[in-house]
Amino acid sequence: MSEKAVVKSVDPIKTLDDMLPKTSNNKNKLFRIGISANLSGHTRELYTGVAIAVNEYLKKKDRLYDIEVLWEKSSFDKDSTLKAANQLVNRGAEAVIGHLSANQSLVAATIYSDIDIPFLAPGTSHPLLTEQGFDNILRVCGRDEEMAYEMVHLVDKLTANTSLKIVYQENSYGNQLSKLLRKSILEKGLSLKTSILINDNIVSEIDDRDTLLFAGTYEGALLLTEKLAKANFTGTVIFGDDIFVADFPYLTSKHDGLKLFTISTKKDLCGINYKNFENKYKEIASLKPAAYSVTSYIATKILLNNISLLKKHGCKRFINSLKNGVVVEGLEEVSFSPKGDLLEFEWDVYEMKAGDFIKLNGSDR
């Protein structure tokens, strides 16, 4: 795959500095929020969503705190993630939002749990994040098994073809999602022809009218799309939410004859005024929001709205209070499961057309 096809992110250090106002009040105490991720297309969604929420908070005349956002780059390497998490702690982060990938979040979670600081995850859909018994985590996004169900559920809506193929990448995300897809296909009573590891000769293993379910990252999805286009594929492809990056439909627009769909976060999740949010996002990022834009914004709003609770009562009481339900300005009431998963998370279906994600309908699960 050519390098130009891979979505890249602007370095958040300078970008955050430009986005956040130099606002301070000597009467206010300082609250530090740590954010971390690898540099990718989704990273833009994280730091822009955080910045919008912080900007809104800093405009309040009666606020009690000034906000500093600390950034540390991490990668899929375990040592890099441990270093980034420890650096955020050493720099004084009192809560962390981020570590978008499962690899990073599962490693970093142990650091934040050991020292009792809240960890809000707006893009980690791996089930294990909230299954390990940590009492400092809130997941502000969906879970992989829910996404797998929605992807298979979409098959019934889009096609009469009940014989499916899974195309997956050999990485933790691809392996896990492919297993969950197989489980959902079996539960749905559909027939899975085969699971195919993506490779240079992938089209030789695909029939022209197959329905494909893709388990992997947007880089792999771009590679698959290019190969299907060259083979004049006429079937249907359903992707998970990792491909919901603003650049993806633009990069695939030259293949507009393909039938490409994705399952991703509902735009107006938790009752957010999406149009207003989208306008603010485009002013900062010069691109439309994507999969983790809204979730990063909501996670930050939840945190900022409850700083006093955290400062007064500590991490555990802060987390437990939010699990029971919290009303945040501009949102509907937000509640979490006892393990820390966002309750009533909603998905939407999008089709890629003319360089954009076109919303079809919400889930009727």
Side-chain angles (χ1 to χ4, degrees):
M1 180 171 48
S2 63
E3 184 178 356
K4 67 179 181 179
V6 179
V7 180
K8 296 184 182 298
S9 171
V10 178
D11 190 335
I13 298 175
K14 182 179 185 306
T15 309
L16 278 168
D17 190 54
D18 292 341
M19 285 191 291
L20 296 174
K22 308 301 181 288
T23 303
S24 63
N25 186 326
N26 292 332
K27 296 181 181 179
N28 293 340
K29 297 179 180 180
L30 185 64
F31 185 84
R32 294 182 173 91
I33 301 172
I35 64 173
S36 181
N38 59 303
L39 292 182
S40 71
H42 287 304
T43 313
R44 180 196 305 120
E45 300 155 35
L46 169 64
Y47 63 70
T48 305
V50 169
I52 294 172
V54 171
N55 272 320
E56 290 177 353
Y57 176 82
L58 291 177
K59 290 178 181 178
K60 296 180 178 181
K61 294 181 180 179
D62 61 345
R63 72 181 191 278
L64 299 177
Y65 295 89
D66 287 330
I67 305 298
E68 182 180 359
V69 179
L70 309 174
W71 159 260
E72 288 291 341
K73 177 185 174 182
S74 52
S75 73
F76 296 116
D77 176 71
K78 180 180 178 180
D79 290 339
S80 168
T81 300
L82 288 173
K83 180 180 178 181
N86 280 306
Q87 284 177 327
L88 287 177
V89 171
N90 292 337
R91 292 175 65 189
E94 298 174 81
V96 173
I97 301 171
H99 294 287
L100 297 176
S101 80
N103 285 349
Q104 295 169 58
S105 292
L106 292 172
V107 169
T110 60
I111 303 295
Y112 307 134
S113 177
D114 286 344
I115 59 171
D116 273 345
I117 66 172
F119 178 28
L120 286 78
T124 302
S125 51
H126 197 299
L128 277 181
L129 182 66
T130 51
E131 299 290 336
Q132 300 180 98
F134 296 129
D135 55 8
N136 66 319
I137 293 177
L138 296 176
R139 188 203 306 271
V140 194
C141 62
R143 293 169 57 107
D144 282 337
E145 68 267 36
E146 298 169 354
M147 182 168 61
Y149 172 92
E150 298 293 348
M151 290 172 69
V152 175
H153 185 57
L154 181 58
V155 173
D156 280 349
K157 297 182 181 180
L158 295 179
T159 175
N161 182 358
T162 57
S163 188
L164 314 173
K165 289 182 180 177
I166 295 172
V167 178
Y168 70 101
Q169 282 180 282
E170 187 63 66
N171 54 36
S172 59
Y173 178 67
N175 288 329
Q176 176 195 237
L177 184 55
S178 65
K179 291 177 183 177
L180 292 170
L181 286 169
R182 285 196 292 271
K183 182 174 183 289
S184 289
I185 289 169
L186 179 63
E187 291 173 347
K188 194 75 174 175
L190 302 178
S191 173
L192 176 63
K193 278 188 177 180
T194 187
S195 294
I196 310 167
L197 180 64
I198 192 167
N199 59 75
D200 288 339
N201 299 314
I202 186 72
V203 293
S204 66
E205 301 181 63
I206 294 173
D207 296 328
D208 188 47
R209 295 183 182 180
D210 277 337
T211 296
L212 306 179
L213 296 166
F214 179 73
T217 65
Y218 58 76
E219 291 96 339
L222 283 169
L223 176 62
L224 176 64
T225 301
E226 290 171 358
K227 290 186 175 296
L228 292 177
K230 289 179 180 178
N232 297 313
F233 179 71
T234 60
T236 299
V237 189
I238 300 172
F239 299 101
D241 72 342
D242 197 70
I243 67 98
F244 200 101
V245 181
D247 315 59
F248 190 89
Y250 170 76
L251 293 170
T252 59
S253 60
K254 59 185 177 182
H255 310 313
D256 219 23
L258 292 175
K259 292 179 280 189
L260 308 177
F261 299 85
T262 185
I263 300 292
S264 192
T265 306
K266 181 180 179 180
K267 287 185 175 181
D268 50 354
L269 185 70
C270 299
I272 183 178
N273 183 331
Y274 186 81
K275 193 63 182 176
N276 183 49
F277 172 79
E278 182 180 41
N279 290 337
K280 291 180 180 180
Y281 188 95
K282 287 193 291 188
E283 285 178 10
I284 293 174
S286 300
L287 289 168
K288 289 185 178 182
Y292 310 139
S293 308
V294 166
T295 55
S296 296
Y297 170 76
I298 291 173
T300 311
K301 291 272 285 185
I302 292 171
L303 174 62
L304 294 173
N305 195 74
N306 293 279
I307 294 176
S308 295
L309 175 64
L310 173 61
K311 298 290 283 186
K312 183 177 180 179
H313 297 292
C315 178
K316 287 183 174 59
R317 186 162 171 183
F318 168 81
I319 293 292
N320 288 334
S321 177
L322 297 185
K323 286 179 179 178
N324 292 330
V326 59
V327 177
V328 179
E329 182 182 356
L331 303 177
E332 297 171 348
E333 182 174 351
V334 180
S335 299
F336 296 84
S337 74
K339 293 182 178 180
D341 292 303
L342 181 65
L343 294 178
E344 299 181 6
F345 181 85
E346 296 180 271
W347 304 88
D348 268 335
V349 178
Y350 302 89
E351 183 176 12
M352 278 153 274
K353 285 288 185 183
D356 201 359
F357 290 105
I358 308 300
K359 177 182 172 182
L360 296 186
N361 57 276
S363 167
D364 63 357
R365 184 176 180 176

mmCIF file of all heavy atoms in Angstrom, residues 69-108:
data_model
loop_
_atom_site.group_PDB
_atom_site.id
_atom_site.type_symbol
_atom_site.label_atom_id
_atom_site.label_comp_id
_atom_site.label_asym_id
_atom_site.label_seq_id
_atom_site.Cartn_x
_atom_site.Cartn_y
_atom_site.Cartn_z
ATOM 1 N N VAL A 69 -4.030 20.932 29.274
ATOM 2 C CA VAL A 69 -4.078 19.635 28.603
ATOM 3 C C VAL A 69 -2.648 19.173 28.328
ATOM 4 O O VAL A 69 -1.875 19.867 27.670
ATOM 5 C CB VAL A 69 -4.882 19.699 27.299
ATOM 6 C CG1 VAL A 69 -4.898 18.331 26.618
ATOM 7 C CG2 VAL A 69 -6.308 20.160 27.569
ATOM 8 N N LEU A 70 -2.304 18.006 28.837
ATOM 9 C CA LEU A 70 -0.977 17.431 28.663
ATOM 10 C C LEU A 70 -1.033 16.336 27.608
ATOM 11 O O LEU A 70 -1.899 15.461 27.665
ATOM 12 C CB LEU A 70 -0.481 16.830 29.983
ATOM 13 C CG LEU A 70 -0.558 17.726 31.221
ATOM 14 C CD1 LEU A 70 -0.169 16.929 32.463
ATOM 15 C CD2 LEU A 70 0.333 18.942 31.059
ATOM 16 N N TRP A 71 -0.116 16.369 26.655
ATOM 17 C CA TRP A 71 -0.081 15.370 25.588
ATOM 18 C C TRP A 71 1.187 14.537 25.682
ATOM 19 O O TRP A 71 2.283 15.057 25.870
ATOM 20 C CB TRP A 71 -0.132 16.044 24.221
ATOM 21 C CG TRP A 71 0.385 15.184 23.089
ATOM 22 C CD1 TRP A 71 1.619 15.247 22.503
ATOM 23 C CD2 TRP A 71 -0.307 14.108 22.443
ATOM 24 N NE1 TRP A 71 1.738 14.289 21.517
ATOM 25 C CE2 TRP A 71 0.570 13.575 21.458
ATOM 26 C CE3 TRP A 71 -1.576 13.555 22.591
ATOM 27 C CZ2 TRP A 71 0.212 12.521 20.638
ATOM 28 C CZ3 TRP A 71 -1.935 12.496 21.767
ATOM 29 C CH2 TRP A 71 -1.042 11.991 20.801
ATOM 30 N N GLU A 72 1.038 13.212 25.534
ATOM 31 C CA GLU A 72 2.177 12.316 25.400
ATOM 32 C C GLU A 72 1.887 11.324 24.282
ATOM 33 O O GLU A 72 0.851 10.668 24.274
ATOM 34 C CB GLU A 72 2.462 11.551 26.689
ATOM 35 C CG GLU A 72 3.048 12.394 27.811
ATOM 36 C CD GLU A 72 4.463 12.874 27.541
ATOM 37 O OE1 GLU A 72 5.138 12.273 26.660
ATOM 38 O OE2 GLU A 72 4.896 13.826 28.206
ATOM 39 N N LYS A 73 2.804 11.223 23.357
ATOM 40 C CA LYS A 73 2.659 10.274 22.258
ATOM 41 C C LYS A 73 2.963 8.864 22.743
ATOM 42 O O LYS A 73 3.929 8.630 23.470
ATOM 43 C CB LYS A 73 3.610 10.644 21.123
ATOM 44 C CG LYS A 73 3.589 9.672 19.945
ATOM 45 C CD LYS A 73 4.641 10.056 18.920
ATOM 46 C CE LYS A 73 4.735 9.016 17.810
ATOM 47 N NZ LYS A 73 5.800 9.347 16.829
ATOM 48 N N SER A 74 2.130 7.922 22.352
ATOM 49 C CA SER A 74 2.406 6.514 22.614
ATOM 50 C C SER A 74 2.332 5.753 21.289
ATOM 51 O O SER A 74 2.021 6.329 20.252
ATOM 52 C CB SER A 74 1.412 5.938 23.634
ATOM 53 O OG SER A 74 0.080 6.204 23.257
ATOM 54 N N SER A 75 2.609 4.470 21.335
ATOM 55 C CA SER A 75 2.551 3.661 20.113
ATOM 56 C C SER A 75 2.002 2.293 20.483
ATOM 57 O O SER A 75 1.611 2.050 21.621
ATOM 58 C CB SER A 75 3.938 3.534 19.479
ATOM 59 O OG SER A 75 4.739 2.668 20.250
ATOM 60 N N PHE A 76 1.979 1.387 19.512
ATOM 61 C CA PHE A 76 1.480 0.041 19.781
ATOM 62 C C PHE A 76 2.476 -0.790 20.594
ATOM 63 O O PHE A 76 2.152 -1.870 21.069
ATOM 64 C CB PHE A 76 1.141 -0.667 18.471
ATOM 65 C CG PHE A 76 0.026 -0.009 17.715
ATOM 66 C CD1 PHE A 76 0.233 0.563 16.472
ATOM 67 C CD2 PHE A 76 -1.249 0.062 18.259
ATOM 68 C CE1 PHE A 76 -0.800 1.173 15.777
ATOM 69 C CE2 PHE A 76 -2.287 0.669 17.576
ATOM 70 C CZ PHE A 76 -2.054 1.228 16.337
ATOM 71 N N ASP A 77 3.684 -0.268 20.750
ATOM 72 C CA ASP A 77 4.698 -0.946 21.548
ATOM 73 C C ASP A 77 4.386 -0.771 23.034
ATOM 74 O O ASP A 77 4.098 0.336 23.507
ATOM 75 C CB ASP A 77 6.073 -0.359 21.224
ATOM 76 C CG ASP A 77 7.163 -0.958 22.081
ATOM 77 O OD1 ASP A 77 7.498 -2.126 21.866
ATOM 78 O OD2 ASP A 77 7.661 -0.244 22.972
ATOM 79 N N LYS A 78 4.441 -1.855 23.787
ATOM 80 C CA LYS A 78 4.093 -1.825 25.209
ATOM 81 C C LYS A 78 4.949 -0.839 25.988
ATOM 82 O O LYS A 78 4.445 -0.050 26.806
ATOM 83 C CB LYS A 78 4.229 -3.224 25.802
ATOM 84 C CG LYS A 78 3.897 -3.290 27.285
ATOM 85 C CD LYS A 78 4.035 -4.705 27.827
ATOM 86 C CE LYS A 78 3.735 -4.753 29.324
ATOM 87 N NZ LYS A 78 3.859 -6.130 29.855
ATOM 88 N N ASP A 79 6.256 -0.855 25.752
ATOM 89 C CA ASP A 79 7.154 0.028 26.494
ATOM 90 C C ASP A 79 6.847 1.501 26.210
ATOM 91 O O ASP A 79 6.929 2.346 27.108
ATOM 92 C CB ASP A 79 8.607 -0.281 26.150
ATOM 93 C CG ASP A 79 9.063 -1.621 26.717
ATOM 94 O OD1 ASP A 79 8.424 -2.093 27.679
ATOM 95 O OD2 ASP A 79 10.047 -2.174 26.195
ATOM 96 N N SER A 80 6.495 1.807 24.962
ATOM 97 C CA SER A 80 6.142 3.180 24.605
ATOM 98 C C SER A 80 4.898 3.639 25.355
ATOM 99 O O SER A 80 4.826 4.769 25.849
ATOM 100 C CB SER A 80 5.894 3.281 23.093
ATOM 101 O OG SER A 80 5.293 4.516 22.758
ATOM 102 N N THR A 81 3.916 2.749 25.455
ATOM 103 C CA THR A 81 2.681 3.096 26.160
ATOM 104 C C THR A 81 2.932 3.285 27.653
ATOM 105 O O THR A 81 2.420 4.232 28.265
ATOM 106 C CB THR A 81 1.623 2.010 25.938
ATOM 107 O OG1 THR A 81 1.349 1.908 24.541
ATOM 108 C CG2 THR A 81 0.337 2.354 26.668
ATOM 109 N N LEU A 82 3.707 2.389 28.249
ATOM 110 C CA LEU A 82 4.036 2.521 29.670
ATOM 111 C C LEU A 82 4.777 3.831 29.934
ATOM 112 O O LEU A 82 4.505 4.524 30.929
ATOM 113 C CB LEU A 82 4.899 1.335 30.116
ATOM 114 C CG LEU A 82 4.197 -0.020 30.227
ATOM 115 C CD1 LEU A 82 5.209 -1.129 30.506
ATOM 116 C CD2 LEU A 82 3.123 0.005 31.314
ATOM 117 N N LYS A 83 5.685 4.175 29.038
ATOM 118 C CA LYS A 83 6.432 5.423 29.186
ATOM 119 C C LYS A 83 5.494 6.624 29.104
ATOM 120 O O LYS A 83 5.575 7.547 29.931
ATOM 121 C CB LYS A 83 7.506 5.518 28.104
ATOM 122 C CG LYS A 83 8.329 6.797 28.177
ATOM 123 C CD LYS A 83 9.380 6.833 27.070
ATOM 124 C CE LYS A 83 10.171 8.141 27.110
ATOM 125 N NZ LYS A 83 11.182 8.205 26.022
ATOM 126 N N ALA A 84 4.587 6.623 28.120
ATOM 127 C CA ALA A 84 3.660 7.748 27.955
ATOM 128 C C ALA A 84 2.745 7.898 29.157
ATOM 129 O O ALA A 84 2.516 9.010 29.657
ATOM 130 C CB ALA A 84 2.831 7.550 26.685
ATOM 131 N N ALA A 85 2.215 6.772 29.648
ATOM 132 C CA ALA A 85 1.312 6.814 30.807
ATOM 133 C C ALA A 85 2.033 7.336 32.042
ATOM 134 O O ALA A 85 1.517 8.184 32.774
ATOM 135 C CB ALA A 85 0.737 5.426 31.067
ATOM 136 N N ASN A 86 3.241 6.856 32.270
ATOM 137 C CA ASN A 86 4.006 7.315 33.431
ATOM 138 C C ASN A 86 4.398 8.781 33.308
ATOM 139 O O ASN A 86 4.408 9.516 34.308
ATOM 140 C CB ASN A 86 5.257 6.457 33.616
ATOM 141 C CG ASN A 86 4.958 5.135 34.304
ATOM 142 O OD1 ASN A 86 4.377 5.108 35.380
ATOM 143 N ND2 ASN A 86 5.353 4.032 33.679
ATOM 144 N N GLN A 87 4.690 9.227 32.102
ATOM 145 C CA GLN A 87 5.034 10.636 31.905
ATOM 146 C C GLN A 87 3.836 11.543 32.195
ATOM 147 O O GLN A 87 3.996 12.610 32.786
ATOM 148 C CB GLN A 87 5.549 10.865 30.482
ATOM 149 C CG GLN A 87 6.972 10.363 30.280
ATOM 150 C CD GLN A 87 7.453 10.531 28.849
ATOM 151 O OE1 GLN A 87 6.675 10.431 27.895
ATOM 152 N NE2 GLN A 87 8.731 10.785 28.676
ATOM 153 N N LEU A 88 2.649 11.118 31.786
ATOM 154 C CA LEU A 88 1.456 11.908 32.092
ATOM 155 C C LEU A 88 1.255 12.017 33.597
ATOM 156 O O LEU A 88 0.943 13.089 34.123
ATOM 157 C CB LEU A 88 0.222 11.287 31.432
ATOM 158 C CG LEU A 88 0.095 11.434 29.920
ATOM 159 C CD1 LEU A 88 -1.152 10.704 29.413
ATOM 160 C CD2 LEU A 88 0.034 12.914 29.505
ATOM 161 N N VAL A 89 1.447 10.899 34.290
ATOM 162 C CA VAL A 89 1.309 10.902 35.749
ATOM 163 C C VAL A 89 2.361 11.805 36.387
ATOM 164 O O VAL A 89 2.057 12.632 37.262
ATOM 165 C CB VAL A 89 1.428 9.464 36.293
ATOM 166 C CG1 VAL A 89 1.498 9.481 37.822
ATOM 167 C CG2 VAL A 89 0.249 8.621 35.821
ATOM 168 N N ASN A 90 3.603 11.687 35.929
ATOM 169 C CA ASN A 90 4.687 12.485 36.500
ATOM 170 C C ASN A 90 4.513 13.979 36.226
ATOM 171 O O ASN A 90 4.982 14.813 37.012
ATOM 172 C CB ASN A 90 6.039 12.012 35.952
ATOM 173 C CG ASN A 90 6.414 10.627 36.428
ATOM 174 O OD1 ASN A 90 5.930 10.170 37.463
ATOM 175 N ND2 ASN A 90 7.253 9.932 35.667
ATOM 176 N N ARG A 91 3.844 14.320 35.134
ATOM 177 C CA ARG A 91 3.607 15.726 34.810
ATOM 178 C C ARG A 91 2.392 16.297 35.543
ATOM 179 O O ARG A 91 2.090 17.471 35.409
ATOM 180 C CB ARG A 91 3.430 15.882 33.298
ATOM 181 C CG ARG A 91 4.694 15.612 32.487
ATOM 182 C CD ARG A 91 4.418 15.657 30.999
ATOM 183 N NE ARG A 91 4.024 17.002 30.572
ATOM 184 C CZ ARG A 91 3.550 17.288 29.357
ATOM 185 N NH1 ARG A 91 3.403 16.308 28.465
ATOM 186 N NH2 ARG A 91 3.230 18.520 29.034
ATOM 187 N N GLY A 92 1.708 15.443 36.291
ATOM 188 C CA GLY A 92 0.633 15.937 37.134
ATOM 189 C C GLY A 92 -0.767 15.741 36.603
ATOM 190 O O GLY A 92 -1.713 16.374 37.097
ATOM 191 N N ALA A 93 -0.947 14.860 35.609
ATOM 192 C CA ALA A 93 -2.298 14.610 35.100
ATOM 193 C C ALA A 93 -3.177 14.052 36.216
ATOM 194 O O ALA A 93 -2.792 13.125 36.922
ATOM 195 C CB ALA A 93 -2.252 13.625 33.931
ATOM 196 N N GLU A 94 -4.365 14.638 36.367
ATOM 197 C CA GLU A 94 -5.298 14.208 37.408
ATOM 198 C C GLU A 94 -6.405 13.318 36.849
ATOM 199 O O GLU A 94 -7.198 12.754 37.608
ATOM 200 C CB GLU A 94 -5.890 15.434 38.092
ATOM 201 C CG GLU A 94 -4.844 16.284 38.793
ATOM 202 C CD GLU A 94 -5.409 17.566 39.349
ATOM 203 O OE1 GLU A 94 -6.014 17.533 40.439
ATOM 204 O OE2 GLU A 94 -5.253 18.616 38.691
ATOM 205 N N ALA A 95 -6.467 13.216 35.543
ATOM 206 C CA ALA A 95 -7.363 12.294 34.837
ATOM 207 C C ALA A 95 -6.804 12.144 33.436
ATOM 208 O O ALA A 95 -6.092 13.021 32.938
ATOM 209 C CB ALA A 95 -8.793 12.830 34.796
ATOM 210 N N VAL A 96 -7.120 11.029 32.792
ATOM 211 C CA VAL A 96 -6.599 10.763 31.448
ATOM 212 C C VAL A 96 -7.752 10.407 30.525
ATOM 213 O O VAL A 96 -8.665 9.660 30.889
ATOM 214 C CB VAL A 96 -5.558 9.623 31.465
ATOM 215 C CG1 VAL A 96 -5.149 9.243 30.042
ATOM 216 C CG2 VAL A 96 -4.332 10.025 32.277
ATOM 217 N N ILE A 97 -7.685 10.967 29.308
ATOM 218 C CA ILE A 97 -8.632 10.639 28.242
ATOM 219 C C ILE A 97 -7.818 10.162 27.050
ATOM 220 O O ILE A 97 -6.910 10.866 26.605
ATOM 221 C CB ILE A 97 -9.483 11.864 27.846
ATOM 222 C CG1 ILE A 97 -10.264 12.383 29.052
ATOM 223 C CG2 ILE A 97 -10.433 11.528 26.697
ATOM 224 C CD1 ILE A 97 -10.964 13.705 28.806
ATOM 225 N N GLY A 98 -8.129 8.966 26.540
ATOM 226 C CA GLY A 98 -7.414 8.563 25.341
ATOM 227 C C GLY A 98 -6.933 7.136 25.302
ATOM 228 O O GLY A 98 -7.650 6.242 25.730
ATOM 229 N N HIS A 99 -5.677 6.978 24.773
ATOM 230 C CA HIS A 99 -5.121 5.672 24.435
ATOM 231 C C HIS A 99 -6.154 4.937 23.579
ATOM 232 O O HIS A 99 -6.787 3.978 24.022
ATOM 233 C CB HIS A 99 -4.783 4.874 25.676
ATOM 234 C CG HIS A 99 -3.675 5.473 26.494
ATOM 235 N ND1 HIS A 99 -2.358 5.445 26.098
ATOM 236 C CD2 HIS A 99 -3.702 6.133 27.681
ATOM 237 C CE1 HIS A 99 -1.607 6.038 27.021
ATOM 238 N NE2 HIS A 99 -2.408 6.480 27.984
ATOM 239 N N LEU A 100 -6.334 5.399 22.347
ATOM 240 C CA LEU A 100 -7.447 4.957 21.515
ATOM 241 C C LEU A 100 -7.404 3.471 21.174
ATOM 242 O O LEU A 100 -8.447 2.837 21.062
ATOM 243 C CB LEU A 100 -7.484 5.782 20.226
ATOM 244 C CG LEU A 100 -7.724 7.287 20.424
ATOM 245 C CD1 LEU A 100 -7.650 8.009 19.079
ATOM 246 C CD2 LEU A 100 -9.051 7.554 21.102
ATOM 247 N N SER A 101 -6.229 2.920 20.991
ATOM 248 C CA SER A 101 -6.168 1.510 20.597
ATOM 249 C C SER A 101 -6.257 0.603 21.814
ATOM 250 O O SER A 101 -5.897 0.985 22.935
ATOM 251 C CB SER A 101 -4.863 1.219 19.845
ATOM 252 O OG SER A 101 -3.791 1.047 20.755
ATOM 253 N N ALA A 102 -6.721 -0.616 21.585
ATOM 254 C CA ALA A 102 -6.829 -1.596 22.673
ATOM 255 C C ALA A 102 -5.458 -1.926 23.243
ATOM 256 O O ALA A 102 -5.292 -2.027 24.466
ATOM 257 C CB ALA A 102 -7.513 -2.862 22.159
ATOM 258 N N ASN A 103 -4.463 -2.100 22.376
ATOM 259 C CA ASN A 103 -3.113 -2.426 22.839
ATOM 260 C C ASN A 103 -2.634 -1.422 23.870
ATOM 261 O O ASN A 103 -2.099 -1.780 24.932
ATOM 262 C CB ASN A 103 -2.133 -2.442 21.660
ATOM 263 C CG ASN A 103 -2.277 -3.676 20.800
ATOM 264 O OD1 ASN A 103 -2.962 -4.614 21.175
ATOM 265 N ND2 ASN A 103 -1.642 -3.683 19.646
ATOM 266 N N GLN A 104 -2.828 -0.148 23.573
ATOM 267 C CA GLN A 104 -2.340 0.903 24.456
ATOM 268 C C GLN A 104 -3.194 1.022 25.720
ATOM 269 O O GLN A 104 -2.672 1.156 26.827
ATOM 270 C CB GLN A 104 -2.326 2.238 23.707
ATOM 271 C CG GLN A 104 -1.349 2.262 22.545
ATOM 272 C CD GLN A 104 -1.552 3.478 21.659
ATOM 273 O OE1 GLN A 104 -1.471 4.601 22.129
ATOM 274 N NE2 GLN A 104 -1.814 3.255 20.380
ATOM 275 N N SER A 105 -4.510 1.006 25.558
ATOM 276 C CA SER A 105 -5.397 1.206 26.699
ATOM 277 C C SER A 105 -5.260 0.098 27.736
ATOM 278 O O SER A 105 -5.277 0.347 28.946
ATOM 279 C CB SER A 105 -6.849 1.288 26.237
ATOM 280 O OG SER A 105 -7.068 2.467 25.488
ATOM 281 N N LEU A 106 -5.137 -1.146 27.281
ATOM 282 C CA LEU A 106 -5.041 -2.266 28.210
ATOM 283 C C LEU A 106 -3.743 -2.214 29.013
ATOM 284 O O LEU A 106 -3.701 -2.619 30.177
ATOM 285 C CB LEU A 106 -5.136 -3.588 27.449
ATOM 286 C CG LEU A 106 -6.505 -3.886 26.823
ATOM 287 C CD1 LEU A 106 -6.430 -5.122 25.935
ATOM 288 C CD2 LEU A 106 -7.569 -4.071 27.887
ATOM 289 N N VAL A 107 -2.690 -1.684 28.404
ATOM 290 C CA VAL A 107 -1.417 -1.531 29.115
ATOM 291 C C VAL A 107 -1.473 -0.340 30.066
ATOM 292 O O VAL A 107 -1.096 -0.434 31.238
ATOM 293 C CB VAL A 107 -0.261 -1.345 28.102
ATOM 294 C CG1 VAL A 107 1.018 -0.923 28.812
ATOM 295 C CG2 VAL A 107 -0.031 -2.636 27.323
ATOM 296 N N ALA A 108 -1.962 0.793 29.577
ATOM 297 C CA ALA A 108 -1.975 2.021 30.372
ATOM 298 C C ALA A 108 -2.931 1.934 31.554
ATOM 299 O O ALA A 108 -2.712 2.573 32.591
ATOM 300 C CB ALA A 108 -2.343 3.206 29.488
#
